[in-house]
Amino acid sequence: MSDFDFRGLSAFPLTPTTETGIDGRAVAAQVERAVAAGVDSIGALGSTGGYAYLEREERRRVARMVVQAAGGTPVMVGVGALRTREVLCLAEDAQAEGASAVLLAPVSYQRLTDEEAYGLYEDVSRVASVPVCVYDNPGTTGFTFSDDLYAAVTRLPNIAAVKIPPAPVGDAAERITTLRAALAPGTVLGVSGDWFAAPALNAGADAWFSAAAGLFPEPAVAITRAARAGAADEATALSERLEPLWALFRKHGSLRVVATASELIGTTTSPSLPRPLRTLQGEARAAVEETLQALNLQ
Amino acid sequence: MSDFDFRGLSAFPLTPTTETGIDGRAVAAQVERAVAAGVDSIGALGSTGGYAYLEREERRRVARMVVQAAGGTPVMVGVGALRTREVLCLAEDAQAEGASAVLLAPVSYQRLTDEEAYGLYEDVSRVASVPVCVYDNPGTTGFTFSDDLYAAVTRLPNIAAVKIPPAPVGDAAERITTLRAALAPGTVLGVSGDWFAAPALNAGADAWFSAAAGLFPEPAVAITRAARAGAADEATALSERLEPLWALFRKHGSLRVVATASELIGTTTSPSLPRPLRTLQGEARAAVEETLQALNLQ
């Protein structure tokens, strides 16, 4: 078992992908920038990394590129897939490429039952030799974790962390307290939904799994450091400054906004998402461009 | 373009699948029984056929087996996948194996926007040489079609039919009328959700895409023939007799019920679903067994 520490800020880079291939240079550049900015880990092949849209060999290659580009910074690799058989292969590949942890969502076509989701984590925990982070993203999986299921799954061996979706910002403290009581002792409690990070970290969450930090790591590092140093007001102010970006994330989904921003600032060529996905066009694209300029994000 | 007629009853067989492979003999047996019972077409690799859980080569092999087992009865093959690139390959494979039509759902991980879904159908319609049926299944895709989107998509070339999810039974007539007005003239309007079939056929729907008919074709053929002959009361009575089965479909999803029933009557060995999916156990399994006995389904 690796001694990967899930706490702090994990940056989730985009995997720019077109009909003809993956832009590996753009992946490496994002990772290098995030490492230089001081993130605590890299989350390769998360939802922002488009894992669900890539084939096994593509995913293995991205894992390899990210681990290389990250130097000594630990890398967590997304291994979600519809079939347990495939998840096990992907976990094996990720470990072989040097992943320090794996991230696993209950990806569904037939919405999984609680028993099926538990069985998935049980099957994977039995063979994983690195820690597993439970990835709860009902917007993409259609699956909703109950706190009882969190309690059961985090008591399996090797299940070391959870990545939860955003609650309403005003409910952050209550949500973190309630969930903390349900999780197995020692489980790392991480959040996603970037607008939810400052309130959640201020309320005692351990980790922020961030889409924005894949492209703009510096402000995310500043928020994380302030919150973890106990400077709650500073973390809140730094996050509120980014509210126009968070509003776009909530409206269009963080993947489409980050990919569009990536194209606009030239980190990747356009298009950067695989069909049928498309980056934002027209008014929505103009709104992203204005927001990047107003916030001086580049 | 094939002259496939989507109207009437299409039986969707289960593809019994375990960690070690697909039970091709069980697939063929279901298809032969459905053809003998007089169904109008076979729907291979629908949601009941587990298409989302199979790899490209497995899907090609199932398409081949079903076309062979169906003799002259036309076969529609599901070609849904997360990436357009893969959908195009799957459509090519299905056509090469003798499919008379293809069935395409807007499968999502990132929930597709209307523009993205339209783009998917546009890309596929451009290259398909058999008619395409639009597969609307919000429970599995998370995507909801508006009637405006139906109107636009069915005006693309080669888009010849729609397979809609069940509306509340009491709203069948209104739903069929409203949707008919939105669809391009000549589009075949088909329904799924087996409990919704009799009311929808009585209200003028053209086709029933049936999970139950994959395993129990005879009662579905009887319902379809009665409705299409104008014997609405008879169709309703025949369907209401099956209400205990429909109730189980609504409660557990038709796939899990059909797979469990399949194991119980010995059409396939157990388990018949690939992990993480599981057939029903305990009380739910007992309820399926009692229902099969009470309805004399075997």
Side-chain angles (χ1 to χ4, degrees):
Chain A
M1 190 87 160
S2 88
D3 56 352
F4 177 62
D5 185 348
F6 287 93
R7 290 172 299 179
L9 175 64
S10 191
F12 279 66
L14 185 73
T15 309
T17 302
T18 68
E19 304 321 289
T20 53
I22 291 167
D23 184 349
R25 215 172 41 147
V27 175
Q30 289 171 84
V31 172
E32 286 160 9
R33 179 171 168 182
V35 167
V39 304
D40 299 292
S41 68
I42 301 290
L45 295 169
S47 292
T48 306
Y51 73 94
Y53 297 86
L54 302 178
E55 293 178 355
R56 181 176 173 189
E57 274 312 308
E58 292 173 315
R59 292 170 72 164
R60 181 163 189 152
R61 193 154 56 85
V62 171
R64 184 183 313 147
M65 292 189 300
V66 171
V67 169
Q68 281 173 356
T73 299
V75 176
M76 175 165 72
V77 174
V79 297
L82 280 173
R83 276 190 74 167
T84 302
R85 174 183 75 172
E86 194 178 349
V87 171
L88 296 175
C89 292
L90 291 162
E92 190 60 37
D93 290 349
Q95 291 170 194
E97 296 300 341
S100 299
V102 295
L103 177 67
L104 176 58
V107 181
S108 295
Y109 177 78
Q110 299 287 342
R111 193 77 36 85
L112 297 185
T113 64
D114 278 11
E115 291 71 24
E116 289 168 341
Y118 180 82
L120 170 66
Y121 288 101
E122 193 176 33
D123 286 345
V124 173
S125 73
R126 203 174 278 140
V127 299
S129 58
V130 295
V132 177
C133 179
V134 174
Y135 183 12
D136 179 4
N137 188 341
T140 56
T141 64
F143 182 86
T144 300
F145 278 84
S146 65
D147 285 358
D148 284 349
L149 183 60
Y150 271 131
V153 168
T154 56
R155 280 167 176 81
L156 288 165
N158 288 337
I159 306 288
V162 298
K163 175 180 188 297
I164 68 165
V169 165
D171 301 344
E174 190 190 335
R175 179 69 193 123
I176 299 299
T177 304
T178 309
L179 182 58
R180 182 77 79 190
L183 299 176
T187 304
V188 169
L189 196 172
V191 301
S192 54
D194 285 340
W195 59 91
F196 183 61
L201 290 169
N202 284 340
D206 305 305
W208 174 14
F209 301 109
S210 174
L215 194 56
F216 305 117
E218 293 83 1
V221 168
I223 291 168
T224 308
R225 287 189 179 159
R228 290 178 65 80
D233 289 349
E234 187 190 343
T236 301
L238 288 168
S239 179
E240 285 180 351
R241 181 183 164 267
L242 297 174
E243 174 53 28
L245 182 63
W246 304 155
L248 291 168
F249 278 21
R250 288 191 298 267
K251 184 171 182 184
H252 301 291
S254 51
L255 173 65
R256 290 189 189 83
V257 175
V258 166
T260 304
S262 227
E263 293 175 4
L264 287 167
I265 65 176
T267 309
T268 180
T269 52
S270 176
S272 59
L273 294 178
R275 288 197 169 205
L277 302 181
R278 314 218 174 185
T279 45
L280 303 172
Q281 305 300 329
E283 282 179 29
R285 192 177 189 88
V288 173
E289 189 158 25
E290 282 160 27
T291 300
L292 296 181
Q293 285 171 352
L295 299 177
N296 197 27
L297 293 168
Q298 53 200 353
Chain B
M1 186 94 155
S2 87
D3 56 354
F4 178 62
D5 186 348
F6 287 93
R7 291 173 299 179
L9 175 65
S10 191
F12 279 66
L14 185 73
T15 309
T17 302
T18 67
E19 303 320 290
T20 53
I22 291 167
D23 184 349
R25 214 171 43 146
V27 175
Q30 289 172 83
V31 172
E32 286 160 9
R33 177 171 169 182
V35 167
V39 304
D40 299 290
S41 68
I42 302 290
L45 294 168
S47 292
T48 306
Y51 74 94
Y53 297 87
L54 302 178
E55 292 178 355
R56 182 176 172 188
E57 274 313 307
E58 293 173 315
R59 292 170 71 164
R60 181 166 188 149
R61 192 154 56 84
V62 171
R64 184 183 313 146
M65 291 188 302
V66 171
V67 169
Q68 282 174 356
T73 299
V75 176
M76 175 164 71
V77 175
V79 296
L82 280 174
R83 276 191 75 168
T84 302
R85 175 182 73 172
E86 194 178 348
V87 171
L88 296 175
C89 292
L90 291 163
E92 190 60 37
D93 290 349
Q95 292 169 194
E97 296 300 342
S100 299
V102 295
L103 177 68
L104 177 58
V107 182
S108 295
Y109 177 78
Q110 299 287 342
R111 194 76 36 85
L112 297 186
T113 64
D114 278 10
E115 292 71 23
E116 289 169 341
Y118 180 82
L120 170 66
Y121 288 102
E122 192 176 33
D123 286 345
V124 174
S125 73
R126 204 175 278 140
V127 299
S129 58
V130 296
V132 177
C133 179
V134 174
Y135 183 12
D136 179 5
N137 188 340
T140 56
T141 64
F143 182 85
T144 301
F145 279 84
S146 66
D147 286 357
D148 285 348
L149 183 59
Y150 271 131
V153 168
T154 55
R155 280 166 176 81
L156 288 166
N158 289 337
I159 306 289
V162 298
K163 174 181 189 295
I164 68 165
V169 165
D171 300 345
E174 190 190 334
R175 180 68 194 124
I176 299 299
T177 304
T178 307
L179 182 58
R180 181 77 79 189
L183 299 176
T187 304
V188 169
L189 196 172
V191 300
S192 53
D194 286 338
W195 60 92
F196 183 61
L201 290 169
N202 284 340
D206 304 305
W208 175 15
F209 301 110
S210 174
L215 194 56
F216 305 118
E218 293 83 1
V221 167
I223 292 168
T224 308
R225 288 188 178 160
R228 290 178 66 80
D233 289 350
E234 187 190 343
T236 302
L238 288 167
S239 178
E240 284 179 351
R241 181 184 164 267
L242 297 173
E243 174 53 29
L245 182 64
W246 305 153
L248 291 168
F249 278 21
R250 288 191 298 268
K251 183 170 182 185
H252 300 291
S254 50
L255 174 66
R256 290 188 190 84
V257 175
V258 167
T260 304
S262 226
E263 294 174 4
L264 287 167
I265 64 176
T267 308
T268 180
T269 50
S270 176
S272 58
L273 294 179
R275 290 198 168 204
L277 302 181
R278 313 216 175 186
T279 45
L280 303 172
Q281 305 299 330
E283 282 180 29
R285 192 177 189 88
V288 173
E289 189 158 25
E290 282 161 27
T291 300
L292 296 181
Q293 284 170 353
L295 299 177
N296 197 27
L297 292 169
Q298 53 200 353

